[in-house]
Amino acid sequence: MIRHDTFTGWRKSSLSSHGDNCVEVGFSTDGRVALRDTEHEGHGPMLVFTASEWEAFLGGVSNGEFVEL
């Protein structure tokens, strides 16, 4: 089980509203990246990605691969 304190520098998306749809991203010293819902005050489930998985995701976002038509 991966501990939440493995990740630091948690940042909330600037596109998150003041409602209940806030997402945060945190980083570990070994390059992994985690995403979590702020609703659980840092104690809920996380999605954890390797550095290369995260870079591939960001590249897809930059290229518009996830835009709905």
Side-chain angles (χ1 to χ4, degrees):
M1 182 174 187
I2 300 172
R3 296 169 35 133
H4 282 265
D5 61 2
T6 301
F7 300 90
T8 59
W10 288 97
R11 292 182 245 164
K12 185 166 89 170
S13 169
S14 62
L15 298 177
S16 293
S17 70
H18 297 292
D20 60 355
N21 62 346
C22 300
V23 176
E24 292 180 305
V25 61
F27 304 89
S28 72
T29 57
D30 66 3
R32 290 178 297 164
V33 178
L35 295 177
R36 69 182 183 189
D37 186 337
T38 58
E39 189 174 286
H40 301 287
E41 299 177 5
H43 300 290
M46 298 181 295
L47 294 173
V48 179
F49 302 91
T50 65
S52 60
E53 290 168 334
W54 185 247
E55 289 299 319
F57 172 72
L58 292 181
V61 169
S62 294
N63 291 332
E65 295 174 15
F66 306 113
V67 176
E68 286 187 51
L69 300 176

